[in-house]
Structure formats: structure tokens, C-alpha cells
Amino acid sequence: MVGTLLALLGLVFILLLMGVRVVRQGHVYTIERLGKFTLAAEPGLHVLIPFFDRVGHKVNVMEQVLDIPGQEIITRDNAMVGVDAVVFFQVLDAGKAAYEVSNLYVAIMQLTTTNLRTVMGSMDLDETLSRRDEINAKLLQVIDHATEPWGVKITRIEIKDIRPPADISNAMARQMKAEREKRANILEAEGFRQAEILKAEGEKQGAILSAEGRKEAAFRDAEARERLAEAEAQATKVVSEAIATSGTQALNYFVAQKYTEAVAAFATSPNAKTILFPIEATQLIGSIGGIGELVRDALGKKEG
């Protein structure tokens, strides 16, 4: 009797163990009753009916990363490129993810590779290398829409690497080198051109300033000559008036004065050892006599 009771207690304990399920954080279990999906068990403790309920699928609802293996894709301009990509996704509906698609991971991988070939195959090689963001956006839109019935949200798709053929890579490297040399030559030519322009501008400014200086000097010279001519004209006028008033006496006075100044210049010359007077020196004496007569006449008039 005791043995039977212990056996019943053991059976009840085993049944309880069979009916208790603990769902881990980050997962959702699908519960099937007699083979039909009835419940998506959230993280925590759940009690099932033994022999009637069972766990169908253990679905990971955390964000996951699916690595897409390398693909060989032919672009629109018939270039063969190798492409690697990754897909980030998250299961939002465990029931759909478990029962709407046979193998979720394989389905997402095949869907991604197919659309990757479609999107990149419609572009030229240069476009595939320079427009990764556009490729990622197109793939995200298409694949997220296709996986929506599976209860899956595609959060991100990234192209990891694009590998063009070796000959195209070499050609691109040569093209890039030629382009850089071209830009260097253009910059160097621009530098020489700017230097020549600055040099010409400097020479132009120098010529302008030199011409301005010559113009100013000529103006000053002309002004000085004009004033000298005015002074000489004034002096000539004064002399003419004196001659007109005093007659030949004034003329003799001026001639004698100039003659005396010329002889004094000869006498004060540092190189003059001997002074030779010309025959006209007697005229100087006569002129001096004339000056004396002028002085006596002037004194006599003053006394009278």
C-alpha cells in the first residue's frame, strides 16, 4: 500500500515537472496543444498540461545579425564583382516567425541575396562602388516589406565589401593616379600663372610710379624754368628802364659789373697760377672811369 502511494506521488511529481516550463529572457516559446499553436509564452514561469501541451519552437526575439556569404554579381556594364553583406533583424511576432515560414534564417538569406543581385545588377560598376547608401536603402525597403508577413522587422542592411576584378582595380588605380597628377599639374600651372600675373602687376605699378615721378620732375623743372624766365624778364625790364632813363652811363655800369665779376672768378680759381688779361682790359678801365663819372654826376645833383 505504501509502495503504491509512493509510486503515485512520484508520478504526480513527474507530471508536474513535465508541465512546468521556464522561458528565458530574450526568447518566446510557442505552445502547441494537440499539435495546434495556442500560445506564445513570454519570459517567465508557465504551467502546461502534460501530454496535451508541448513547446513547439523556441524563438529568439532579440535583434540578430545574419551574415550573407560572398556573392558574385554581374553589373549592368558586364563587370563581375564580389559582394559581402550583413542583415540585422528582429522577430516581432513569434507565432508568425515559427509557422509562416519553414526556415526563417535561410529564407531571409535567400531573399537578401536575390534582391542584392537585382539591385546591384541594375547599376554600373562605378555606381555600385560609390552609391552604397542607396543600395542599402533599396535592399532594406524591399526585404523589410517581404518579411513583414513572417513577423520579422529588418532593421538594417549593410554592404560590407565590394570587390571588383583585379584588372579593373589596377585600371582604377592608374586612373586615380593620372587624375591626381592632372590636378597637381593644374595647381602648379595655376601657381606659375598667378606668379607671372603678380610679377606683371608689380612691373606695371613700378612703371606707373616711375612715369608719375618723371612727370612730377618735369613739372617741377618747367615750373622752375618758368620762374627763372620771369625773374630774368623782370631783371631785363629793370635794366631796360635804367638804360632808358640814364642812357649809356647805366649800360656802361652793368657791363663793367659783369666784366668785374668774370675777372674775379678767374682770380679765385684754385688752378689759376697766372692771369692773362685780354686787350679789351683797357675798356674795363674806361668803363670804370665811366662809373666814376656817374658817381660824380649823382653826387653833384644831390648837392645842387
Side-chain angles (χ1 to χ4, degrees), residues 6-263:
L6 291 176
L8 289 174
L9 290 176
L11 180 61
V12 171
F13 181 74
I14 293 173
L15 291 176
L16 288 175
L17 289 179
M18 293 176 59
V20 175
R21 289 290 183 273
V22 177
V23 180
R24 295 177 299 166
Q25 186 66 38
H27 292 77
V28 173
Y29 292 178
T30 61
I31 307 301
E32 300 175 357
R33 179 167 295 173
L34 300 178
K36 182 180 179 180
F37 169 68
T38 58
L39 175 67
E42 299 292 335
L45 178 64
H46 296 270
V47 178
L48 308 181
I49 301 176
F51 304 108
F52 291 92
D53 296 339
R54 73 181 187 92
V55 176
H57 296 83
K58 297 179 180 180
V59 181
N60 187 343
V61 295
M62 295 181 290
E63 186 170 3
Q64 303 176 66
V65 181
L66 182 61
D67 191 10
I68 306 300
Q71 303 292 316
E72 296 294 331
I73 299 175
I74 300 176
T75 61
R76 186 171 60 186
D77 52 354
N78 297 323
M80 182 74 71
V81 294
V83 181
D84 294 330
V86 290
V87 179
F88 296 82
F89 69 95
Q90 185 176 13
V91 176
L92 301 181
D93 191 325
K96 291 182 179 180
Y99 301 105
E100 295 294 335
V101 60
S102 176
N103 190 323
L104 180 62
Y105 297 100
V106 175
I108 294 177
M109 184 181 299
Q110 294 299 324
L111 188 62
T112 303
T113 55
T114 302
N115 285 277
L116 187 62
R117 292 176 184 275
T118 302
V119 172
M120 296 188 65
S122 63
M123 295 181 174
D124 295 334
L125 177 61
D126 292 339
E127 293 177 340
T128 60
L129 296 175
S130 61
R131 297 164 62 180
R132 291 195 182 190
D133 291 340
E134 183 177 342
I135 296 173
N136 295 336
K138 287 183 177 180
L139 289 173
L140 179 62
Q141 181 180 3
V142 173
I143 299 174
D144 184 49
H145 179 72
T147 57
E148 185 177 358
W150 304 341
V152 175
K153 174 65 178 177
I154 304 297
T155 58
R156 196 169 186 178
I157 296 179
E158 293 290 342
I159 302 296
K160 290 198 304 183
D161 188 24
I162 298 178
R163 301 178 299 277
D167 55 344
I168 295 180
S169 298
N170 294 333
M172 292 172 63
R174 292 195 302 270
Q175 180 182 3
M176 182 176 61
K177 180 180 178 181
E179 187 67 25
R180 290 182 177 177
E181 290 179 352
K182 174 185 174 182
R183 289 199 297 267
N185 292 332
I186 291 175
L187 291 176
E188 186 177 2
E190 286 290 336
F192 284 134
R193 175 175 173 271
Q194 191 67 23
E196 292 296 328
I197 291 174
L198 293 176
K199 181 179 179 182
E201 287 289 338
E203 292 177 352
K204 176 184 176 182
Q205 292 297 326
I208 291 175
L209 292 176
S210 178
E212 290 288 341
R214 291 195 300 271
K215 176 182 176 182
E216 184 67 20
F219 177 77
R220 298 295 183 184
D221 290 343
E223 186 178 15
R225 289 195 299 271
E226 180 180 357
R227 292 184 179 179
L228 181 61
E230 290 178 355
E232 290 179 353
Q234 185 66 27
T236 303
K237 180 180 179 181
V238 172
V239 172
S240 298
E241 290 177 354
I243 292 173
T245 302
S246 302
T248 58
Q249 294 177 350
L251 182 61
N252 290 333
Y253 171 77
F254 287 120
V255 171
Q257 182 183 16
K258 294 298 182 182
Y259 206 100
T260 303
E261 291 175 356
V263 172

